[in-house]
Amino acid sequence: SAMSALSSELTRMSAAQTFSGNGTLEATAVWTTGAGATGDVGSVALFGTSAAGSCACLASFASSAKASDQTLTITYQLRFASA
C-alpha cells in the first residue's frame, strides 16, 4: 500500500504494514527530514498500491506546513472484526 500527503502536490510513499493486534493492521509512512516536497499538508490517504488503486482511507484537516527540516510520520490503524 501507499500513502499520499501534501495537498499541493501528490506525493506517494510506500507504507510499512504490520499487524499490531488481533485484527488490527497498521500502515505507516515516514517522510524523513529533507525527503519529499515541502508544502501544506491538508489531507492524507491510504491507497491499495503505490502507482494506482482505490483509496482505502482519507483524512482531511486544517492544513499544516511541512518544511524541509521536518519529519512527517503518518499511521493508519485498520481494525477488522468478524460479525
Side-chain angles (χ1 to χ4, degrees):
S1 67
M3 287 203 195
S4 174
L6 302 178
S7 59
S8 61
E9 177 180 329
L10 182 62
T11 303
R12 292 193 181 197
M13 174 74 67
S14 292
Q17 301 169 32
T18 58
F19 280 97
S20 63
N22 189 15
T24 300
L25 173 67
E26 284 188 356
T28 301
V30 179
W31 285 261
T32 58
T33 301
T38 60
D40 291 332
V41 179
S43 62
V44 294
L46 178 63
F47 289 88
T49 68
S50 60
S54 299
C55 178
C57 304
L58 173 68
S60 297
F61 45 88
S63 66
S64 177
K66 180 196 178 292
S68 61
D69 64 346
Q70 295 175 319
T71 297
L72 174 64
T73 302
I74 299 169
T75 300
Y76 270 105
Q77 286 188 336
L78 304 169
R79 293 193 171 102
F80 301 95
S82 59

